[in-house]
């Protein structure tokens, strides 16, 4: 009703890269792509269902991006409007649905890497709150940052400078403490670990993906 010349791109989570490319080619030149994530139930989650739902969420979207790049869209202007549902929190007590939260990270990286693409990322309460006329009046964001729509109000993130006025200057470490470091074998992690061992006699446990070496 809002865009009578729009086409529906019928995707399937089983589509491979060639299949996605063929479907895109059949539509001709694309000016703007609207991605609406499936709306999942908040009733319960299991590790299996969360992983399976990635196939029709972030992984399918990632495949679509790769197909577009393979067709030369990486050097062209392209509009994106990506809609998710309750995948981000405005207030710390808000219930969120983490199923498709990873889409926000993917879209943020995409927007920064392909600066010729105009990206709008919106998180809504539910599918009943879709108001396309209002959504498409929201600005694109070159960083891929999300806008959240809750109870008729738009929210966005913004960084503010913080002025430190003193206070508790105590060190958050204790002598002989035990510290678990994720990625401790990296450059910063190893320097920090050496400092902790030297200055506090700390016991350091490294967790990482690398094979153990010297």
């Amino acid at each position: 009703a809002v865009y009578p010349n729009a086409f529906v791109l019928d995707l399937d989570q089983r589509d491979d890269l060639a299949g996605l490319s063929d479907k895109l080619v059949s539509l001709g030149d694309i000016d703007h792509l609207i991605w609406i994530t499936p709306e999942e139930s908040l009733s319960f989650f299991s590790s299996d269902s969360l992983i399976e739902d990635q196939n029709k969420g972030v992984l399918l979207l990632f495949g679509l991006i790769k197909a577009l790049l393979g067709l030369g869209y990486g050097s062209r202007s392209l509009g994106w409007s990506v809609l998710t549902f309750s995948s981000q929190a405005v207030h710390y007590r808000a219930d969120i649905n983490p199923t498709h939260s990873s889409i926000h990270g993917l879209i943020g990286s995409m927007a920064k890497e392909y600066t010729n693409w105009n990206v709008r990322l919106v998180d809504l309460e539910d599918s009943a709150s879709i108001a396309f006329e209002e959504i498409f009046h929201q600005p694109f964001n070159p960083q891929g940052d999300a806008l959240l729509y809750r109870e008729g109000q738009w929210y966005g993130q913004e960084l503010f400078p913080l002025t430190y006025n003193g206070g508790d200057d105590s060190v958050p470490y204790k002598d002989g403490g035990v510290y678990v470091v994720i990625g401790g074998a990296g450059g910063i992690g190893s320097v920090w670990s050496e400092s902790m061992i030297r200055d506090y006699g700390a016991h350091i446990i490294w967790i990482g993906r690398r094979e153990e070496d010297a």
Side-chain angles (χ1 to χ4, degrees), residues 147-160:
L147 288 172
L148 278 61
Y149 188 72
R150 300 290 187 273
E151 298 180 352
Q153 179 69 43
W154 288 98
Y155 296 89
Q157 287 186 322
E158 186 173 348
L159 292 175
F160 288 92

Side-chain angles (χ1 to χ4, degrees), residues 79-101:
W80 282 85
S81 293
V82 179
L83 279 58
T84 61
F85 301 102
S86 298
S87 67
Q88 307 293 309
V90 175
H91 307 294
Y92 73 96
R93 290 181 178 177
D95 291 329
I96 67 167
N97 187 330
T99 306
H100 300 299
S101 294

